[in-house]
Amino acid sequence: MASRCINCGGELKYDIPSGKVKCLHCDSSFEPETFKTETAAEEYKGEQNSTPKYDATMFVCPNCGAEIYSTELDAVNYCLYCGSFVTLESQLGRVRKPDYIIPFTKTAEDCKAAYKKMIRRQIYAPGEFRDENFIQGFKGIYIPFWNFGYKYGPEIEIKGETETREGDYLIKQKYNTKCKASGTVDSVAYDASSNFDDEISLRIAPYKREDMKTFNPCYMFGFFGDTADIDREVYRKQSNDEIKEELWKAISESKGVSDAHPTEEVPETMEKDFRMKKKISLAMLPVWFLTWRKGDRVAYSVMNGSNGNMYAEIPVSVTRYILFSLLTAVPIFFGLNEIVTFTANEILIAAMILAMVMCLLYVFELDKIVRRVMHTDDMGFLETHEEAKKESDEKVSKNAIMAILEALGANSLGGWLVVIFSVIVICIGAPEYAVVGLIIAVVGTPIYTLYRLYDNAKILKEKGSSNVWLDIAGALFSVVLGAGLLIYDPAPDIDYYIAAVVCMLGIGVAAVRMVSRYNQFITRPVPRFFDRKEGAE
């Protein structure tokens, strides 16, 4: 397609502040809606698949296989997804014409200012994340998203039922309410590119739908675009369930309708009763994208180019972590020593409890690492990589304790306060329960830790990771050492103090190793997209 100035032939770029297409040479400006481009969309419309397409220059990274496109013919020497400085292979290609586009409203300067504000609060972030040259690397790219929605009405029907008892009689009343109502409802947009992780797309959602416009390639001048390779059927059921639940809750709780006592659950006949018609569209949504790479790991910082939501994967500098820990631990220790006096065995018990907490945190962290390495929560990636999906289904299991914590996390703050208060009352009123709990924890924590590590260690070893057993050895040793000493119960306090010091050293080593594992979780392996499949149109 032609993307040159009609006055001088210079390069054109979409100017975010003015919302116009501008020439970088003669400074001419054009309204995107009225600017004519020589697109092949109509020419290709009559082909067998009847899907409108337009010409664009396709760029493929020879290192990772990521495929992006641009309306410009200039060579690209940097890959957004794997962070490689390499000349991308280019060729002319045909790209499916999206239905809609949300133009960038946040400029590169807005993005950099928001990033700098965020990174100032990250005290453990490596120094290169604050480097001005690194921050200048943000690139604008349009990511394809599937938008699912429904139209309903003009008339809807709601069924309800009540059940009461009067003496020996059970009285049931059924309601059938019809009313005039119509409208549209949309779900969360789902990214249609396997390059773009589902987790990232959810972190920066939602997009400002009021800014959505009918697609015009002019809005993409000066930016990149990703290709849609995920079949829309992947997200159909999930989006349908979300939309129906949202619509049913809104209408069933509305004034008047609630008097008909509708069911709490979404009825199976809702589509028929509400005269619902599906609507699915493909839209290009704006993202500012920055890649950090170190060795074979990458981390992404992205900003929603529509509403400014930002998400960044920031590893922890081990040096900064150790220095800050020492600077804070010393005053805390002496401050507590002035307030509370601990006996020798109480100090050892405290060290043991800290070691057990470290073991559980490590197990949870390792589960997250395995799920990310195996792309378990990235539905779009798994649907376009059959081998990865099969491997994830076979090897990745759900952490039972994490599932319980997630369920508890859904409770209200009041519920948590009641649980914590109850535990405190039991421990104070009946200290023997606290002793029993400590014994169970001392025995159960190492067993559970070893059980969870067994499967995950094998998976990570297959993926080229270092030995995870050494990471937590210090904390496990601290639990065993403390338990053994408490059982042996030597007379001199010095033995408890020495054991407590050894335990704290073991915990410190485990903490440093855990930081390294956290860095593995927060970053990603260099991606491989060579086996991407073309998405359904």
Side-chain angles (χ1 to χ4, degrees), residues 141-188:
I141 183 172
Y142 282 96
I143 304 294
F145 280 75
W146 289 116
N147 290 309
F148 297 84
Y150 276 107
K151 291 182 180 180
Y152 66 92
E155 184 180 74
I156 63 174
E157 183 176 347
I158 298 179
K159 298 180 179 65
E161 183 178 309
T162 60
E163 185 176 302
T164 57
R165 179 175 290 279
E166 293 184 5
D168 295 332
Y169 295 95
L170 186 64
I171 301 174
K172 293 185 178 181
Q173 292 180 303
K174 293 188 177 182
Y175 299 83
N176 192 9
T177 304
K178 291 184 178 181
C179 60
K180 299 289 184 183
S182 62
T184 60
V185 59
D186 295 311
S187 72
V188 176

Coordinates of all heavy atoms in Angstrom, one line a residue, residues 141-188:
I141 N 3.3 -0.7 18.9 CA 2.9 -1.9 18.1 C 1.4 -2.1 18.3 O 0.9 -1.9 19.4 CB 3.6 -3.2 18.4 CG1 3.2 -4.3 17.5 CG2 3.5 -3.5 19.9 CD1 4.1 -5.6 17.6
Y142 N 0.7 -2.4 17.2 CA -0.8 -2.8 17.3 C -0.9 -4.3 17.4 O -0.4 -5.0 16.6 CB -1.5 -2.3 16.1 CG -1.8 -0.8 16.1 CD1 -1.0 0.1 15.5 CD2 -2.9 -0.3 16.8 CE1 -1.3 1.5 15.5 CE2 -3.2 1.0 16.8 CZ -2.4 1.9 16.2 OH -2.7 3.3 16.2
I143 N -1.6 -4.7 18.5 CA -1.8 -6.1 18.7 C -3.3 -6.5 18.3 O -4.2 -5.8 18.7 CB -1.6 -6.5 20.2 CG1 -0.2 -6.0 20.7 CG2 -1.8 -8.0 20.5 CD1 0.9 -6.8 20.1
P144 N -3.4 -7.6 17.6 CA -4.8 -8.0 17.2 C -5.6 -8.6 18.4 O -5.0 -9.4 19.1 CB -4.6 -9.0 16.1 CG -3.2 -9.6 16.4 CD -2.4 -8.5 17.0
F145 N -6.8 -8.3 18.5 CA -7.7 -8.8 19.6 C -9.0 -9.2 19.0 O -9.6 -8.5 18.1 CB -7.9 -7.8 20.7 CG -6.8 -7.6 21.7 CD1 -5.7 -6.9 21.3 CD2 -7.0 -8.1 22.9 CE1 -4.6 -6.8 22.3 CE2 -5.9 -8.0 23.9 CZ -4.8 -7.3 23.5
W146 N -9.5 -10.4 19.5 CA -10.9 -10.8 19.1 C -11.8 -10.1 20.1 O -11.6 -10.3 21.3 CB -11.0 -12.3 19.2 CG -10.3 -13.1 18.1 CD1 -9.3 -13.9 18.2 CD2 -10.6 -13.0 16.7 NE1 -8.9 -14.5 17.0 CE2 -9.7 -13.9 16.0 CE3 -11.6 -12.3 15.9 CZ2 -9.8 -14.1 14.7 CZ3 -11.6 -12.5 14.6 CH2 -10.7 -13.4 13.9
N147 N -12.8 -9.5 19.6 CA -13.9 -8.9 20.4 C -15.2 -9.7 20.3 O -15.7 -9.8 19.2 CB -14.1 -7.4 20.0 CG -13.0 -6.5 20.4 OD1 -12.5 -6.5 21.5 ND2 -12.5 -5.7 19.4
F148 N -15.7 -10.2 21.4 CA -16.9 -11.0 21.4 C -18.0 -10.2 22.0 O -17.8 -9.5 23.0 CB -16.7 -12.3 22.1 CG -15.7 -13.2 21.5 CD1 -14.3 -13.0 21.8 CD2 -16.1 -14.2 20.7 CE1 -13.4 -13.9 21.3 CE2 -15.1 -15.1 20.1 CZ -13.8 -14.9 20.4
G149 N -19.2 -10.3 21.5 CA -20.3 -9.6 22.1 C -21.6 -10.1 21.6 O -21.7 -11.1 20.8
Y150 N -22.7 -9.6 22.1 CA -24.1 -10.0 21.8 C -24.9 -8.8 21.6 O -24.8 -7.7 22.3 CB -24.7 -10.8 22.9 CG -24.3 -12.3 22.9 CD1 -23.5 -12.8 23.8 CD2 -24.9 -13.2 22.0 CE1 -23.2 -14.2 23.8 CE2 -24.6 -14.5 22.0 CZ -23.7 -15.0 22.9 OH -23.4 -16.4 22.9
K151 N -25.9 -8.9 20.7 CA -27.0 -8.0 20.6 C -28.2 -8.7 21.2 O -28.4 -9.9 20.9 CB -27.3 -7.6 19.2 CG -26.2 -6.7 18.6 CD -26.5 -6.2 17.2 CE -25.5 -5.3 16.6 NZ -25.8 -4.9 15.2
Y152 N -29.0 -8.1 21.9 CA -30.2 -8.8 22.5 C -31.5 -7.9 22.3 O -31.3 -6.7 22.1 CB -30.0 -9.1 24.0 CG -29.9 -7.9 24.9 CD1 -31.0 -7.4 25.5 CD2 -28.7 -7.3 25.1 CE1 -30.9 -6.3 26.3 CE2 -28.5 -6.3 26.0 CZ -29.7 -5.7 26.6 OH -29.5 -4.7 27.4
G153 N -32.6 -8.5 22.4 CA -33.9 -7.8 22.2 C -34.4 -7.9 20.8 O -33.9 -8.8 20.0
P154 N -35.4 -7.2 20.4 CA -36.0 -6.1 21.1 C -36.9 -6.5 22.3 O -37.4 -5.6 23.0 CB -36.9 -5.4 20.0 CG -37.2 -6.5 19.1 CD -36.1 -7.4 19.1
E155 N -37.2 -7.8 22.4 CA -38.0 -8.2 23.5 C -37.3 -9.4 24.2 O -36.7 -10.2 23.6 CB -39.4 -8.7 23.0 CG -40.3 -9.2 24.1 CD -41.7 -9.6 23.5 OE1 -41.7 -10.8 23.0 OE2 -42.7 -8.9 23.6
I156 N -37.4 -9.4 25.6 CA -36.7 -10.5 26.3 C -37.8 -11.1 27.2 O -38.8 -10.6 27.6 CB -35.6 -9.9 27.2 CG1 -36.0 -9.0 28.2 CG2 -34.5 -9.3 26.3 CD1 -34.9 -8.5 29.2
E157 N -37.5 -12.4 27.6 CA -38.4 -13.2 28.4 C -37.6 -13.7 29.6 O -36.5 -14.3 29.4 CB -39.0 -14.3 27.6 CG -40.0 -15.2 28.3 CD -40.6 -16.2 27.4 OE1 -40.4 -16.1 26.2 OE2 -41.2 -17.1 27.9
I158 N -38.1 -13.5 30.8 CA -37.5 -14.0 32.0 C -38.4 -14.9 32.8 O -39.5 -14.5 33.1 CB -37.0 -12.8 32.9 CG1 -36.0 -11.9 32.1 CG2 -36.4 -13.3 34.2 CD1 -35.6 -10.7 32.9
K159 N -37.9 -16.1 33.1 CA -38.6 -17.0 33.9 C -38.2 -17.0 35.3 O -37.0 -16.9 35.6 CB -38.5 -18.4 33.3 CG -39.0 -18.6 31.9 CD -38.8 -20.0 31.4 CE -39.3 -20.2 30.0 NZ -38.6 -19.4 29.0
G160 N -39.1 -17.2 36.3 CA -38.8 -17.2 37.7 C -39.7 -18.1 38.4 O -40.7 -18.6 37.9
E161 N -39.3 -18.4 39.7 CA -40.1 -19.3 40.5 C -39.9 -19.1 41.9 O -38.8 -18.7 42.4 CB -39.6 -20.8 40.1 CG -40.4 -21.9 40.9 CD -40.0 -23.3 40.4 OE1 -39.9 -23.5 39.2 OE2 -39.7 -24.1 41.3
T162 N -40.9 -19.2 42.7 CA -40.8 -19.1 44.2 C -41.4 -20.4 44.8 O -42.2 -21.1 44.2 CB -41.6 -17.9 44.7 OG1 -43.0 -18.1 44.4 CG2 -41.1 -16.6 44.2
E163 N -40.9 -20.7 46.0 CA -41.4 -21.9 46.7 C -41.5 -21.6 48.2 O -40.6 -21.2 48.9 CB -40.3 -23.0 46.5 CG -40.7 -24.3 47.1 CD -39.7 -25.4 46.8 OE1 -39.4 -25.7 45.6 OE2 -39.2 -26.0 47.8
T164 N -42.8 -21.7 48.7 CA -43.1 -21.4 50.1 C -43.8 -22.6 50.7 O -44.5 -23.4 50.0 CB -43.9 -20.1 50.2 OG1 -45.1 -20.3 49.5 CG2 -43.1 -18.9 49.8
R165 N -43.8 -22.7 52.0 CA -44.5 -23.8 52.7 C -45.6 -23.2 53.6 O -45.3 -22.3 54.4 CB -43.6 -24.6 53.5 CG -44.2 -25.8 54.3 CD -43.2 -26.7 55.0 NE -42.5 -27.4 54.0 CZ -42.9 -28.6 53.5 NH1 -44.1 -29.1 53.8 NH2 -42.2 -29.2 52.6
E166 N -46.8 -23.7 53.5 CA -47.9 -23.3 54.4 C -48.5 -24.6 55.0 O -49.2 -25.3 54.3 CB -49.0 -22.5 53.6 CG -48.5 -21.2 53.1 CD -49.7 -20.4 52.4 OE1 -50.8 -20.9 52.4 OE2 -49.4 -19.4 51.9
G167 N -48.1 -24.8 56.3 CA -48.6 -26.0 56.9 C -48.0 -27.3 56.2 O -46.7 -27.4 56.1
D168 N -48.8 -28.2 55.8 CA -48.3 -29.4 55.1 C -48.2 -29.2 53.6 O -47.9 -30.2 52.9 CB -49.3 -30.6 55.4 CG -49.3 -30.9 56.8 OD1 -48.3 -30.7 57.5 OD2 -50.3 -31.4 57.3
Y169 N -48.5 -28.0 53.1 CA -48.5 -27.8 51.7 C -47.2 -27.0 51.2 O -46.8 -26.0 51.9 CB -49.7 -27.0 51.3 CG -51.0 -27.7 51.5 CD1 -51.7 -27.5 52.7 CD2 -51.5 -28.6 50.6 CE1 -52.9 -28.2 52.9 CE2 -52.7 -29.3 50.8 CZ -53.4 -29.1 52.0 OH -54.6 -29.8 52.2
L170 N -46.7 -27.5 50.1 CA -45.5 -26.8 49.5 C -46.1 -26.0 48.3 O -46.6 -26.7 47.3 CB -44.5 -27.8 49.1 CG -43.2 -27.2 48.5 CD1 -42.5 -26.3 49.6 CD2 -42.2 -28.3 48.0
I171 N -46.0 -24.7 48.3 CA -46.6 -23.9 47.3 C -45.5 -23.4 46.3 O -44.6 -22.7 46.8 CB -47.4 -22.7 47.9 CG1 -48.5 -23.3 48.8 CG2 -48.0 -21.9 46.8 CD1 -49.3 -22.2 49.5
K172 N -45.6 -23.7 45.1 CA -44.7 -23.2 44.1 C -45.4 -22.2 43.1 O -46.5 -22.5 42.7 CB -44.1 -24.4 43.3 CG -43.2 -25.3 44.1 CD -42.6 -26.3 43.1 CE -41.6 -27.2 43.9 NZ -41.0 -28.2 43.0
Q173 N -44.8 -21.1 42.9 CA -45.3 -20.1 41.9 C -44.3 -19.9 40.8 O -43.2 -19.6 41.1 CB -45.7 -18.8 42.7 CG -46.8 -18.9 43.6 CD -47.1 -17.5 44.3 OE1 -46.2 -17.0 44.9 NE2 -48.3 -17.0 44.2
K174 N -44.8 -20.0 39.6 CA -43.9 -19.7 38.5 C -44.3 -18.4 37.8 O -45.4 -18.1 37.6 CB -44.0 -20.9 37.5 CG -43.5 -22.2 38.0 CD -43.4 -23.3 37.0 CE -42.8 -24.6 37.6 NZ -42.7 -25.7 36.5
Y175 N -43.2 -17.7 37.3 CA -43.4 -16.4 36.7 C -42.9 -16.5 35.3 O -41.8 -17.1 35.0 CB -42.7 -15.3 37.5 CG -43.2 -15.1 38.9 CD1 -42.8 -15.9 39.9 CD2 -44.1 -14.1 39.2 CE1 -43.2 -15.7 41.2 CE2 -44.6 -13.9 40.5 CZ -44.1 -14.7 41.5 OH -44.6 -14.6 42.8
N176 N -43.5 -15.8 34.4 CA -43.0 -15.7 33.0 C -43.1 -14.2 32.6 O -44.2 -13.8 32.3 CB -43.7 -16.6 32.1 CG -43.0 -16.7 30.7 OD1 -41.9 -16.3 30.6 ND2 -43.7 -17.3 29.8
T177 N -42.1 -13.5 32.7 CA -42.1 -12.0 32.4 C -41.5 -11.7 31.1 O -40.4 -12.1 30.7 CB -41.3 -11.3 33.5 OG1 -41.8 -11.7 34.8 CG2 -41.4 -9.8 33.3
K178 N -42.3 -10.9 30.3 CA -41.8 -10.4 29.0 C -41.8 -8.9 29.1 O -42.7 -8.3 29.6 CB -42.8 -10.9 27.9 CG -42.7 -12.4 27.6 CD -43.6 -12.7 26.4 CE -43.5 -14.2 26.1 NZ -44.3 -14.6 24.9
C179 N -40.8 -8.3 28.5 CA -40.6 -6.9 28.5 C -39.8 -6.5 27.2 O -39.1 -7.2 26.6 CB -40.0 -6.4 29.7 SG -38.3 -7.0 30.0
K180 N -40.0 -5.2 26.9 CA -39.3 -4.6 25.8 C -37.9 -4.2 26.3 O -37.8 -3.4 27.2 CB -40.0 -3.4 25.2 CG -41.4 -3.7 24.7 CD -41.3 -4.4 23.4 CE -42.7 -4.7 22.7 NZ -42.6 -5.5 21.5
A181 N -36.9 -4.7 25.7 CA -35.5 -4.4 26.1 C -34.6 -4.7 25.0 O -34.7 -5.8 24.3 CB -35.1 -5.1 27.4
S182 N -33.6 -3.9 24.7 CA -32.6 -4.2 23.7 C -31.3 -3.5 24.0 O -31.3 -2.6 24.8 CB -33.1 -3.7 22.3 OG -33.3 -2.3 22.3
G183 N -30.2 -4.0 23.4 CA -28.9 -3.4 23.7 C -27.8 -4.3 23.2 O -28.1 -5.3 22.6
T184 N -26.6 -3.9 23.6 CA -25.4 -4.7 23.2 C -24.6 -4.9 24.5 O -24.6 -4.0 25.4 CB -24.6 -4.1 22.1 OG1 -24.1 -2.8 22.6 CG2 -25.4 -3.9 20.8
V185 N -23.8 -6.0 24.5 CA -22.9 -6.2 25.6 C -21.7 -6.9 25.1 O -21.8 -7.8 24.3 CB -23.6 -7.0 26.8 CG1 -24.0 -8.4 26.2 CG2 -22.6 -7.2 27.9
D186 N -20.5 -6.4 25.5 CA -19.2 -6.9 25.1 C -18.5 -7.5 26.2 O -18.6 -7.2 27.4 CB -18.4 -5.8 24.4 CG -19.0 -5.2 23.2 OD1 -19.4 -6.0 22.3 OD2 -19.1 -4.0 23.1
S187 N -17.6 -8.5 25.9 CA -16.8 -9.1 26.9 C -15.4 -8.5 26.8 O -15.1 -7.6 26.1 CB -16.6 -10.6 26.6 OG -15.8 -10.8 25.5
V188 N -14.5 -9.0 27.7 CA -13.1 -8.5 27.6 C -12.5 -9.0 26.3 O -12.8 -10.1 25.8 CB -12.3 -9.2 28.8 CG1 -10.8 -8.8 28.6 CG2 -12.8 -8.7 30.1

